[in-house]
PDB file of all heavy atoms in Angstrom:
ATOM      1  N   ARG A  30     -22.803 120.104 -71.397  1.00  0.00           N
ATOM      2  CA  ARG A  30     -22.150 119.796 -70.114  1.00  0.00           C
ATOM      3  C   ARG A  30     -20.918 120.659 -69.901  1.00  0.00           C
ATOM      4  O   ARG A  30     -20.708 121.212 -68.813  1.00  0.00           O
ATOM      5  CB  ARG A  30     -21.768 118.313 -70.037  1.00  0.00           C
ATOM      6  CG  ARG A  30     -22.919 117.383 -69.752  1.00  0.00           C
ATOM      7  CD  ARG A  30     -22.468 115.971 -69.373  1.00  0.00           C
ATOM      8  NE  ARG A  30     -21.395 115.432 -70.187  1.00  0.00           N
ATOM      9  CZ  ARG A  30     -21.554 114.788 -71.343  1.00  0.00           C
ATOM     10  NH1 ARG A  30     -22.767 114.611 -71.839  1.00  0.00           N
ATOM     11  NH2 ARG A  30     -20.529 114.315 -72.007  1.00  0.00           N
ATOM     12  N   ALA A  31     -20.082 120.783 -70.922  1.00  0.00           N
ATOM     13  CA  ALA A  31     -18.834 121.537 -70.790  1.00  0.00           C
ATOM     14  C   ALA A  31     -19.106 123.017 -70.542  1.00  0.00           C
ATOM     15  O   ALA A  31     -18.542 123.617 -69.614  1.00  0.00           O
ATOM     16  CB  ALA A  31     -17.969 121.352 -72.045  1.00  0.00           C
ATOM     17  N   VAL A  32     -19.958 123.612 -71.356  1.00  0.00           N
ATOM     18  CA  VAL A  32     -20.264 125.039 -71.194  1.00  0.00           C
ATOM     19  C   VAL A  32     -20.974 125.278 -69.869  1.00  0.00           C
ATOM     20  O   VAL A  32     -20.650 126.220 -69.139  1.00  0.00           O
ATOM     21  CB  VAL A  32     -21.092 125.566 -72.389  1.00  0.00           C
ATOM     22  CG1 VAL A  32     -21.592 126.977 -72.132  1.00  0.00           C
ATOM     23  CG2 VAL A  32     -20.270 125.526 -73.668  1.00  0.00           C
ATOM     24  N   GLY A  33     -21.933 124.425 -69.542  1.00  0.00           N
ATOM     25  CA  GLY A  33     -22.640 124.570 -68.274  1.00  0.00           C
ATOM     26  C   GLY A  33     -21.698 124.481 -67.085  1.00  0.00           C
ATOM     27  O   GLY A  33     -21.795 125.273 -66.142  1.00  0.00           O
ATOM     28  N   PHE A  34     -20.779 123.538 -67.126  1.00  0.00           N
ATOM     29  CA  PHE A  34     -19.800 123.406 -66.042  1.00  0.00           C
ATOM     30  C   PHE A  34     -18.932 124.651 -65.942  1.00  0.00           C
ATOM     31  O   PHE A  34     -18.727 125.192 -64.850  1.00  0.00           O
ATOM     32  CB  PHE A  34     -18.919 122.172 -66.264  1.00  0.00           C
ATOM     33  CG  PHE A  34     -17.754 122.125 -65.319  1.00  0.00           C
ATOM     34  CD1 PHE A  34     -17.924 121.681 -64.014  1.00  0.00           C
ATOM     35  CD2 PHE A  34     -16.497 122.549 -65.717  1.00  0.00           C
ATOM     36  CE1 PHE A  34     -16.857 121.656 -63.129  1.00  0.00           C
ATOM     37  CE2 PHE A  34     -15.426 122.519 -64.837  1.00  0.00           C
ATOM     38  CZ  PHE A  34     -15.607 122.077 -63.545  1.00  0.00           C
ATOM     39  N   LEU A  35     -18.398 125.110 -67.064  1.00  0.00           N
ATOM     40  CA  LEU A  35     -17.503 126.272 -67.045  1.00  0.00           C
ATOM     41  C   LEU A  35     -18.209 127.538 -66.569  1.00  0.00           C
ATOM     42  O   LEU A  35     -17.636 128.329 -65.820  1.00  0.00           O
ATOM     43  CB  LEU A  35     -16.899 126.503 -68.432  1.00  0.00           C
ATOM     44  CG  LEU A  35     -15.885 125.455 -68.884  1.00  0.00           C
ATOM     45  CD1 LEU A  35     -15.574 125.625 -70.370  1.00  0.00           C
ATOM     46  CD2 LEU A  35     -14.620 125.539 -68.053  1.00  0.00           C
ATOM     47  N   ALA A  36     -19.444 127.726 -66.998  1.00  0.00           N
ATOM     48  CA  ALA A  36     -20.174 128.937 -66.609  1.00  0.00           C
ATOM     49  C   ALA A  36     -20.626 128.888 -65.151  1.00  0.00           C
ATOM     50  O   ALA A  36     -20.589 129.905 -64.463  1.00  0.00           O
ATOM     51  CB  ALA A  36     -21.386 129.136 -67.523  1.00  0.00           C
ATOM     52  N   ALA A  37     -21.023 127.720 -64.682  1.00  0.00           N
ATOM     53  CA  ALA A  37     -21.536 127.612 -63.316  1.00  0.00           C
ATOM     54  C   ALA A  37     -20.434 127.345 -62.303  1.00  0.00           C
ATOM     55  O   ALA A  37     -20.450 127.905 -61.210  1.00  0.00           O
ATOM     56  CB  ALA A  37     -22.581 126.500 -63.238  1.00  0.00           C
ATOM     57  N   GLY A  38     -19.462 126.494 -62.655  1.00  0.00           N
ATOM     58  CA  GLY A  38     -18.413 126.109 -61.709  1.00  0.00           C
ATOM     59  C   GLY A  38     -17.321 127.151 -61.590  1.00  0.00           C
ATOM     60  O   GLY A  38     -17.365 128.011 -60.715  1.00  0.00           O
ATOM     61  N   PRO A  39     -16.343 127.125 -62.478  1.00  0.00           N
ATOM     62  CA  PRO A  39     -15.225 128.063 -62.383  1.00  0.00           C
ATOM     63  C   PRO A  39     -15.599 129.510 -62.700  1.00  0.00           C
ATOM     64  O   PRO A  39     -14.809 130.407 -62.494  1.00  0.00           O
ATOM     65  CB  PRO A  39     -14.219 127.553 -63.415  1.00  0.00           C
ATOM     66  CG  PRO A  39     -14.685 126.227 -63.852  1.00  0.00           C
ATOM     67  CD  PRO A  39     -16.126 126.111 -63.498  1.00  0.00           C
ATOM     68  N   GLY A  40     -16.788 129.739 -63.199  1.00  0.00           N
ATOM     69  CA  GLY A  40     -17.232 131.108 -63.443  1.00  0.00           C
ATOM     70  C   GLY A  40     -16.712 131.727 -64.729  1.00  0.00           C
ATOM     71  O   GLY A  40     -16.551 132.935 -64.807  1.00  0.00           O
ATOM     72  N   VAL A  41     -16.465 130.923 -65.747  1.00  0.00           N
ATOM     73  CA  VAL A  41     -16.065 131.469 -67.045  1.00  0.00           C
ATOM     74  C   VAL A  41     -17.275 132.197 -67.629  1.00  0.00           C
ATOM     75  O   VAL A  41     -18.385 131.665 -67.627  1.00  0.00           O
ATOM     76  CB  VAL A  41     -15.582 130.348 -67.998  1.00  0.00           C
ATOM     77  CG1 VAL A  41     -15.287 130.893 -69.379  1.00  0.00           C
ATOM     78  CG2 VAL A  41     -14.353 129.666 -67.417  1.00  0.00           C
ATOM     79  N   ARG A  42     -17.065 133.395 -68.115  1.00  0.00           N
ATOM     80  CA  ARG A  42     -18.164 134.208 -68.649  1.00  0.00           C
ATOM     81  C   ARG A  42     -17.995 134.558 -70.121  1.00  0.00           C
ATOM     82  O   ARG A  42     -18.784 135.295 -70.679  1.00  0.00           O
ATOM     83  CB  ARG A  42     -18.307 135.510 -67.847  1.00  0.00           C
ATOM     84  CG  ARG A  42     -18.611 135.317 -66.387  1.00  0.00           C
ATOM     85  CD  ARG A  42     -20.017 134.724 -66.215  1.00  0.00           C
ATOM     86  NE  ARG A  42     -20.331 134.508 -64.816  1.00  0.00           N
ATOM     87  CZ  ARG A  42     -20.256 133.353 -64.193  1.00  0.00           C
ATOM     88  NH1 ARG A  42     -19.858 132.272 -64.826  1.00  0.00           N
ATOM     89  NH2 ARG A  42     -20.589 133.248 -62.921  1.00  0.00           N
ATOM     90  N   GLN A  43     -16.938 134.012 -70.756  1.00  0.00           N
ATOM     91  CA  GLN A  43     -16.674 134.324 -72.154  1.00  0.00           C
ATOM     92  C   GLN A  43     -16.352 133.042 -72.902  1.00  0.00           C
ATOM     93  O   GLN A  43     -15.556 132.228 -72.430  1.00  0.00           O
ATOM     94  CB  GLN A  43     -15.509 135.294 -72.268  1.00  0.00           C
ATOM     95  CG  GLN A  43     -15.732 136.595 -71.520  1.00  0.00           C
ATOM     96  CD  GLN A  43     -14.642 137.583 -71.824  1.00  0.00           C
ATOM     97  OE1 GLN A  43     -14.905 138.577 -72.468  1.00  0.00           O
ATOM     98  NE2 GLN A  43     -13.419 137.307 -71.399  1.00  0.00           N
ATOM     99  N   PHE A  44     -16.961 132.904 -74.076  1.00  0.00           N
ATOM    100  CA  PHE A  44     -16.803 131.696 -74.871  1.00  0.00           C
ATOM    101  C   PHE A  44     -16.567 132.071 -76.322  1.00  0.00           C
ATOM    102  O   PHE A  44     -17.262 132.933 -76.862  1.00  0.00           O
ATOM    103  CB  PHE A  44     -18.055 130.818 -74.760  1.00  0.00           C
ATOM    104  CG  PHE A  44     -18.308 130.329 -73.362  1.00  0.00           C
ATOM    105  CD1 PHE A  44     -18.974 131.128 -72.443  1.00  0.00           C
ATOM    106  CD2 PHE A  44     -17.858 129.085 -72.958  1.00  0.00           C
ATOM    107  CE1 PHE A  44     -19.199 130.690 -71.154  1.00  0.00           C
ATOM    108  CE2 PHE A  44     -18.071 128.637 -71.670  1.00  0.00           C
ATOM    109  CZ  PHE A  44     -18.745 129.445 -70.760  1.00  0.00           C
ATOM    110  N   LEU A  45     -15.600 131.405 -76.932  1.00  0.00           N
ATOM    111  CA  LEU A  45     -15.304 131.565 -78.350  1.00  0.00           C
ATOM    112  C   LEU A  45     -15.560 130.218 -78.999  1.00  0.00           C
ATOM    113  O   LEU A  45     -14.830 129.259 -78.768  1.00  0.00           O
ATOM    114  CB  LEU A  45     -13.849 132.006 -78.533  1.00  0.00           C
ATOM    115  CG  LEU A  45     -13.358 132.253 -79.945  1.00  0.00           C
ATOM    116  CD1 LEU A  45     -14.187 133.312 -80.646  1.00  0.00           C
ATOM    117  CD2 LEU A  45     -11.883 132.657 -79.917  1.00  0.00           C
ATOM    118  N   ASP A  46     -16.643 130.127 -79.763  1.00  0.00           N
ATOM    119  CA  ASP A  46     -17.094 128.868 -80.356  1.00  0.00           C
ATOM    120  C   ASP A  46     -16.665 128.841 -81.822  1.00  0.00           C
ATOM    121  O   ASP A  46     -17.318 129.434 -82.677  1.00  0.00           O
ATOM    122  CB  ASP A  46     -18.609 128.747 -80.212  1.00  0.00           C
ATOM    123  CG  ASP A  46     -19.132 127.367 -80.563  1.00  0.00           C
ATOM    124  OD1 ASP A  46     -18.465 126.645 -81.334  1.00  0.00           O
ATOM    125  OD2 ASP A  46     -20.225 127.021 -80.076  1.00  0.00           O
ATOM    126  N   ILE A  47     -15.565 128.153 -82.105  1.00  0.00           N
ATOM    127  CA  ILE A  47     -14.975 128.117 -83.448  1.00  0.00           C
ATOM    128  C   ILE A  47     -15.479 126.886 -84.189  1.00  0.00           C
ATOM    129  O   ILE A  47     -15.384 125.771 -83.690  1.00  0.00           O
ATOM    130  CB  ILE A  47     -13.442 128.125 -83.367  1.00  0.00           C
ATOM    131  CG1 ILE A  47     -12.975 129.379 -82.623  1.00  0.00           C
ATOM    132  CG2 ILE A  47     -12.828 128.055 -84.766  1.00  0.00           C
ATOM    133  CD1 ILE A  47     -11.482 129.411 -82.329  1.00  0.00           C
ATOM    134  N   GLY A  48     -16.004 127.114 -85.394  1.00  0.00           N
ATOM    135  CA  GLY A  48     -16.597 126.022 -86.167  1.00  0.00           C
ATOM    136  C   GLY A  48     -17.943 125.633 -85.608  1.00  0.00           C
ATOM    137  O   GLY A  48     -18.281 124.460 -85.504  1.00  0.00           O
ATOM    138  N   SER A  49     -18.731 126.625 -85.249  1.00  0.00           N
ATOM    139  CA  SER A  49     -19.978 126.407 -84.519  1.00  0.00           C
ATOM    140  C   SER A  49     -21.039 125.644 -85.301  1.00  0.00           C
ATOM    141  O   SER A  49     -21.853 124.956 -84.716  1.00  0.00           O
ATOM    142  CB  SER A  49     -20.552 127.748 -84.062  1.00  0.00           C
ATOM    143  OG  SER A  49     -20.717 128.615 -85.164  1.00  0.00           O
ATOM    144  N   GLY A  50     -21.045 125.769 -86.611  1.00  0.00           N
ATOM    145  CA  GLY A  50     -22.058 125.079 -87.411  1.00  0.00           C
ATOM    146  C   GLY A  50     -23.413 125.739 -87.295  1.00  0.00           C
ATOM    147  O   GLY A  50     -23.577 126.775 -86.646  1.00  0.00           O
ATOM    148  N   LEU A  51     -24.399 125.139 -87.954  1.00  0.00           N
ATOM    149  CA  LEU A  51     -25.750 125.704 -87.945  1.00  0.00           C
ATOM    150  C   LEU A  51     -26.334 125.725 -86.540  1.00  0.00           C
ATOM    151  O   LEU A  51     -26.149 124.776 -85.772  1.00  0.00           O
ATOM    152  CB  LEU A  51     -26.671 124.887 -88.862  1.00  0.00           C
ATOM    153  CG  LEU A  51     -26.442 125.070 -90.353  1.00  0.00           C
ATOM    154  CD1 LEU A  51     -27.188 124.007 -91.144  1.00  0.00           C
ATOM    155  CD2 LEU A  51     -26.864 126.458 -90.794  1.00  0.00           C
ATOM    156  N   PRO A  52     -27.049 126.782 -86.197  1.00  0.00           N
ATOM    157  CA  PRO A  52     -27.688 126.846 -84.878  1.00  0.00           C
ATOM    158  C   PRO A  52     -28.690 125.705 -84.700  1.00  0.00           C
ATOM    159  O   PRO A  52     -29.364 125.301 -85.639  1.00  0.00           O
ATOM    160  CB  PRO A  52     -28.422 128.195 -84.906  1.00  0.00           C
ATOM    161  CG  PRO A  52     -27.763 128.986 -85.973  1.00  0.00           C
ATOM    162  CD  PRO A  52     -27.263 127.997 -86.980  1.00  0.00           C
ATOM    163  N   THR A  53     -28.745 125.205 -83.486  1.00  0.00           N
ATOM    164  CA  THR A  53     -29.680 124.136 -83.145  1.00  0.00           C
ATOM    165  C   THR A  53     -30.153 124.384 -81.716  1.00  0.00           C
ATOM    166  O   THR A  53     -30.195 125.533 -81.290  1.00  0.00           O
ATOM    167  CB  THR A  53     -28.992 122.759 -83.337  1.00  0.00           C
ATOM    168  OG1 THR A  53     -29.937 121.733 -83.059  1.00  0.00           O
ATOM    169  CG2 THR A  53     -27.760 122.587 -82.506  1.00  0.00           C
ATOM    170  N   VAL A  54     -30.476 123.374 -80.971  1.00  0.00           N
ATOM    171  CA  VAL A  54     -30.892 123.564 -79.574  1.00  0.00           C
ATOM    172  C   VAL A  54     -29.673 123.588 -78.675  1.00  0.00           C
ATOM    173  O   VAL A  54     -28.649 122.983 -78.966  1.00  0.00           O
ATOM    174  CB  VAL A  54     -31.866 122.449 -79.120  1.00  0.00           C
ATOM    175  CG1 VAL A  54     -33.147 122.510 -79.916  1.00  0.00           C
ATOM    176  CG2 VAL A  54     -31.226 121.087 -79.235  1.00  0.00           C
ATOM    177  N   ASP A  55     -29.806 124.295 -77.572  1.00  0.00           N
ATOM    178  CA  ASP A  55     -28.726 124.419 -76.585  1.00  0.00           C
ATOM    179  C   ASP A  55     -27.408 124.850 -77.222  1.00  0.00           C
ATOM    180  O   ASP A  55     -26.368 124.207 -77.063  1.00  0.00           O
ATOM    181  CB  ASP A  55     -28.553 123.123 -75.789  1.00  0.00           C
ATOM    182  CG  ASP A  55     -29.516 123.057 -74.615  1.00  0.00           C
ATOM    183  OD1 ASP A  55     -30.101 124.101 -74.259  1.00  0.00           O
ATOM    184  OD2 ASP A  55     -29.679 121.965 -74.054  1.00  0.00           O
ATOM    185  N   ASN A  56     -27.454 125.972 -77.920  1.00  0.00           N
ATOM    186  CA  ASN A  56     -26.243 126.569 -78.455  1.00  0.00           C
ATOM    187  C   ASN A  56     -25.411 127.110 -77.292  1.00  0.00           C
ATOM    188  O   ASN A  56     -25.902 127.271 -76.178  1.00  0.00           O
ATOM    189  CB  ASN A  56     -26.615 127.698 -79.422  1.00  0.00           C
ATOM    190  CG  ASN A  56     -27.397 127.171 -80.600  1.00  0.00           C
ATOM    191  OD1 ASN A  56     -26.860 126.471 -81.446  1.00  0.00           O
ATOM    192  ND2 ASN A  56     -28.687 127.471 -80.636  1.00  0.00           N
ATOM    193  N   THR A  57     -24.166 127.395 -77.548  1.00  0.00           N
ATOM    194  CA  THR A  57     -23.234 127.816 -76.499  1.00  0.00           C
ATOM    195  C   THR A  57     -23.783 128.963 -75.668  1.00  0.00           C
ATOM    196  O   THR A  57     -23.755 128.927 -74.437  1.00  0.00           O
ATOM    197  CB  THR A  57     -21.874 128.182 -77.111  1.00  0.00           C
ATOM    198  OG1 THR A  57     -21.356 127.038 -77.806  1.00  0.00           O
ATOM    199  CG2 THR A  57     -20.891 128.628 -76.058  1.00  0.00           C
ATOM    200  N   HIS A  58     -24.282 130.004 -76.309  1.00  0.00           N
ATOM    201  CA  HIS A  58     -24.755 131.162 -75.535  1.00  0.00           C
ATOM    202  C   HIS A  58     -25.985 130.824 -74.697  1.00  0.00           C
ATOM    203  O   HIS A  58     -26.143 131.348 -73.597  1.00  0.00           O
ATOM    204  CB  HIS A  58     -25.026 132.368 -76.449  1.00  0.00           C
ATOM    205  CG  HIS A  58     -26.306 132.294 -77.199  1.00  0.00           C
ATOM    206  ND1 HIS A  58     -26.494 131.474 -78.293  1.00  0.00           N
ATOM    207  CD2 HIS A  58     -27.486 132.933 -76.993  1.00  0.00           C
ATOM    208  CE1 HIS A  58     -27.727 131.623 -78.737  1.00  0.00           C
ATOM    209  NE2 HIS A  58     -28.346 132.493 -77.975  1.00  0.00           N
ATOM    210  N   GLN A  59     -26.835 129.938 -75.185  1.00  0.00           N
ATOM    211  CA  GLN A  59     -28.025 129.572 -74.415  1.00  0.00           C
ATOM    212  C   GLN A  59     -27.642 128.836 -73.134  1.00  0.00           C
ATOM    213  O   GLN A  59     -28.171 129.125 -72.062  1.00  0.00           O
ATOM    214  CB  GLN A  59     -28.959 128.723 -75.270  1.00  0.00           C
ATOM    215  CG  GLN A  59     -29.564 129.500 -76.423  1.00  0.00           C
ATOM    216  CD  GLN A  59     -30.222 128.597 -77.446  1.00  0.00           C
ATOM    217  OE1 GLN A  59     -29.681 127.554 -77.809  1.00  0.00           O
ATOM    218  NE2 GLN A  59     -31.382 129.006 -77.919  1.00  0.00           N
ATOM    219  N   VAL A  60     -26.724 127.906 -73.257  1.00  0.00           N
ATOM    220  CA  VAL A  60     -26.278 127.143 -72.084  1.00  0.00           C
ATOM    221  C   VAL A  60     -25.541 128.062 -71.115  1.00  0.00           C
ATOM    222  O   VAL A  60     -25.825 128.068 -69.914  1.00  0.00           O
ATOM    223  CB  VAL A  60     -25.375 125.959 -72.515  1.00  0.00           C
ATOM    224  CG1 VAL A  60     -24.810 125.247 -71.298  1.00  0.00           C
ATOM    225  CG2 VAL A  60     -26.145 124.991 -73.398  1.00  0.00           C
ATOM    226  N   ALA A  61     -24.608 128.852 -71.632  1.00  0.00           N
ATOM    227  CA  ALA A  61     -23.819 129.745 -70.769  1.00  0.00           C
ATOM    228  C   ALA A  61     -24.709 130.778 -70.085  1.00  0.00           C
ATOM    229  O   ALA A  61     -24.568 131.027 -68.875  1.00  0.00           O
ATOM    230  CB  ALA A  61     -22.735 130.441 -71.590  1.00  0.00           C
ATOM    231  N   GLN A  62     -25.633 131.358 -70.830  1.00  0.00           N
ATOM    232  CA  GLN A  62     -26.453 132.424 -70.262  1.00  0.00           C
ATOM    233  C   GLN A  62     -27.550 131.905 -69.341  1.00  0.00           C
ATOM    234  O   GLN A  62     -28.075 132.668 -68.542  1.00  0.00           O
ATOM    235  CB  GLN A  62     -27.018 133.302 -71.381  1.00  0.00           C
ATOM    236  CG  GLN A  62     -25.910 134.119 -72.026  1.00  0.00           C
ATOM    237  CD  GLN A  62     -26.363 134.955 -73.200  1.00  0.00           C
ATOM    238  OE1 GLN A  62     -27.478 134.809 -73.704  1.00  0.00           O
ATOM    239  NE2 GLN A  62     -25.493 135.830 -73.646  1.00  0.00           N
ATOM    240  N   ARG A  63     -27.866 130.616 -69.408  1.00  0.00           N
ATOM    241  CA  ARG A  63     -28.763 130.030 -68.392  1.00  0.00           C
ATOM    242  C   ARG A  63     -28.050 130.020 -67.040  1.00  0.00           C
ATOM    243  O   ARG A  63     -28.652 130.279 -66.010  1.00  0.00           O
ATOM    244  CB  ARG A  63     -29.176 128.616 -68.768  1.00  0.00           C
ATOM    245  CG  ARG A  63     -30.468 128.540 -69.532  1.00  0.00           C
ATOM    246  CD  ARG A  63     -31.076 127.149 -69.529  1.00  0.00           C
ATOM    247  NE  ARG A  63     -30.208 126.098 -70.018  1.00  0.00           N
ATOM    248  CZ  ARG A  63     -30.120 125.736 -71.301  1.00  0.00           C
ATOM    249  NH1 ARG A  63     -30.831 126.343 -72.222  1.00  0.00           N
ATOM    250  NH2 ARG A  63     -29.324 124.759 -71.653  1.00  0.00           N
ATOM    251  N   ALA A  64     -26.765 129.689 -67.059  1.00  0.00           N
ATOM    252  CA  ALA A  64     -25.988 129.635 -65.819  1.00  0.00           C
ATOM    253  C   ALA A  64     -25.549 131.029 -65.381  1.00  0.00           C
ATOM    254  O   ALA A  64     -25.511 131.318 -64.188  1.00  0.00           O
ATOM    255  CB  ALA A  64     -24.763 128.746 -66.010  1.00  0.00           C
ATOM    256  N   ALA A  65     -25.212 131.885 -66.345  1.00  0.00           N
ATOM    257  CA  ALA A  65     -24.709 133.228 -66.045  1.00  0.00           C
ATOM    258  C   ALA A  65     -25.177 134.169 -67.163  1.00  0.00           C
ATOM    259  O   ALA A  65     -24.555 134.216 -68.225  1.00  0.00           O
ATOM    260  CB  ALA A  65     -23.181 133.219 -65.956  1.00  0.00           C
TER     261      ALA A  65
END
C-alpha cells in the first residue's frame, strides 16, 4: 500500500529499502514498477 501510493500518487520514483529481508511476493520494486 505504501509503495503503491507513493509511486502512483505523489510520483516518487526512487526507493531505498533498508533491512529488506528475503525476497517474497510484492517486493518494493515490483509494486513500484507496476505503478511506474
